[in-house]
């Protein structure tokens, strides 16, 4: 049996035990949802970021679909926070950051949709991804979090590596699972190592990180513009 049922995997709970045994909190919360309209003063394809220490709003433009709003903030008790009602929580945390009404407009859209994700950001770390004939794959096994930018690729790679291992050892499941772990572990370890650091890019935890984040984004945006001009 293969459990590929995401970070809060039921298969993992049933076979391996409670979430707390495998969750490694980054100390951040996220709330993601589609915006019903473009942000006032910005074109529909524009992305934007509102950032302060321990809280950010990022709007990601998506081709042919409404933009996605991503609210993130840091908290000492992410699991407790994930049981709260997102709307009043975000209204309170972002109240004094409402530049030009961007925050309140976005939160109005949250109020009118049930298509949202409000959750703590958790890395999943497990000593072994299989037990007997049960195996975990993707976020359920090794959640790299959104900060890695590699979660989807890791899930697909896991499927491919598992398929190859099973094809190589069609009559020996245990050997195939060992082969799968041996090939996937280094990849997962490499990407999990820098998650806490990368989270600073999304939600800076102090003034120094906020400043570093601004500088880095400026460099990225300038080099992107430069490359775009070169290729035009
Ligand atoms: C806001 C946000 C932004 C992200 N951005 C990126 C990005 O830019 N790049 C990137 O690579 N990754 C990104 N990720 C991470 C990426 O989405 C995940 O790593 C990836 O989706 C993991 O795939 P998965 O198949 O393991 O789990 P999931 O995508 O979570 O899929 C699990 C599936 O199992 C289903 N399921 C759960 N329980 C049951 C059940 N009991 N019965 C039946 N079905 C069940 C769920 O409905 C779901 O469809 C982001 C994540 C978030 C939250």
């Amino acid at each position: 049996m293969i459990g590929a049922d995401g970070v809060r995997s039921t298969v993992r709970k049933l076979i391996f035990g409670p979430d707390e045994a495998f969750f490694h909190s980054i100390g951040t919360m996220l709330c993601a949802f589609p915006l019903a309209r473009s942000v006032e003063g910005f074109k529909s394809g524009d992305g934007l970021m509102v950032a302060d220490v321990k809280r950010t709003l990022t709007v990601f433009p998506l081709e042919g679909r409404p933009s996605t709003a991503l609210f993130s903030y840091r908290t000492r008790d992410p699991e407790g926070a994930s049981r709260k009602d997102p709307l009043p929580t975000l209204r309170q945390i972002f109240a004094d950051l409402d530049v030009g009404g961007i925050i309140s407009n976005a939160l109005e859209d949250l109020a009118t949709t049930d298509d949202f994700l409000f959750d703590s950001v958790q890395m999943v770390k497990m000593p072994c991804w299989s037990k007997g004939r049960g195996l975990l794959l993707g976020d359920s096994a090794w959640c790299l979090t959104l900060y890695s930018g590699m979660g989807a690729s890791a899930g697909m790679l896991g499927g491919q590596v598992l398929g190859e291992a099973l094809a190589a050892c069609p009559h020996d499941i245990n050997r195939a699972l060992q082969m799968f772990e041996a090939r996937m572990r280094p990849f997962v370890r490499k990407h999990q190592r820098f998650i806490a650091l990368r989270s600073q890019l999304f939600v800076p935890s102090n003034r120094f990180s906020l400043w570093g984040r601004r500088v880095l984004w400026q460099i990225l945006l300038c080099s992107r513009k430069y490359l775009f001009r070169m290729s035009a």
Side-chain angles (χ1 to χ4, degrees):
M1 181 181 62
I2 300 167
D5 49 348
V7 63
R8 293 196 179 265
S9 165
T10 305
V11 176
R12 189 183 60 233
K13 283 190 201 84
L14 291 173
I15 301 185
F16 294 91
D19 288 347
E20 301 79 63
F22 309 109
F23 273 6
H24 289 253
S25 176
I26 315 294
T28 57
M29 289 291 299
L30 66 84
C31 183
F33 56 94
L35 288 174
R37 59 224 147 119
S38 51
V39 180
E40 208 174 300
F42 293 85
K43 292 197 287 285
S44 62
D46 286 345
L48 69 99
M49 295 180 220
V50 180
D52 194 15
V53 175
K54 295 187 180 166
R55 51 199 179 145
T56 55
L57 163 64
T58 311
V59 174
F60 295 97
L62 300 170
E63 185 112 15
R65 298 178 54 187
S67 299
T68 291
L70 175 65
F71 281 89
S72 306
Y73 67 92
R74 288 190 183 267
T75 169
R76 288 216 181 93
D77 177 20
E79 279 306 87
S82 59
R83 287 189 285 275
K84 290 185 181 168
D85 187 346
L87 194 56
T89 306
L90 294 174
R91 274 197 180 126
Q92 188 197 349
I93 289 171
F94 286 83
D96 61 332
L97 206 62
D98 198 8
V99 197
I102 291 174
I103 302 282
S104 47
N105 285 346
L107 289 179
E108 267 175 38
D109 290 355
L110 174 61
T112 56
T113 182
D114 53 9
D115 180 16
F116 67 86
L117 171 72
F118 180 62
D119 204 355
S120 57
V121 180
Q122 305 282 355
M123 234 191 304
V124 172
K125 287 188 175 179
M126 303 186 71
C128 184
W129 292 319
S130 61
K131 205 182 221 180
R133 291 172 70 95
L135 171 75
L136 297 175
L137 204 58
D139 276 13
S140 63
W142 55 64
C143 183
L144 302 175
T145 80
L146 72 161
Y147 304 135
S148 72
M150 291 299 291
S153 309
M156 289 188 278
L157 179 67
Q160 185 194 330
V161 168
L162 178 63
E164 287 169 0
L166 289 169
C169 314
H171 305 297
D172 189 347
I173 294 280
N174 288 337
R175 174 96 192 83
L177 294 181
Q178 279 168 10
M179 202 182 267
F180 167 76
E181 291 243 0
R183 282 189 58 198
M184 284 308 291
R185 282 272 163 204
F187 177 89
V188 167
R189 212 175 293 129
K190 182 174 97 181
H191 288 288
Q192 284 189 332
R193 196 171 294 148
F194 297 107
I195 297 294
L197 186 63
R198 293 185 73 140
S199 75
Q200 296 292 336
L201 262 181
F202 284 76
V203 209
S205 58
N206 54 46
R207 295 234 149 258
F208 179 70
S209 285
L210 180 67
W211 173 82
R213 177 188 186 276
R214 278 196 185 131
V215 172
L216 199 60
W217 277 118
Q218 289 295 338
I219 294 170
L220 286 173
L221 291 173
C222 285
S223 51
R224 200 171 153 236
K225 266 187 209 152
Y226 178 72
L227 288 174
F228 183 71
R229 256 193 236 128
M230 293 266 290
S231 61

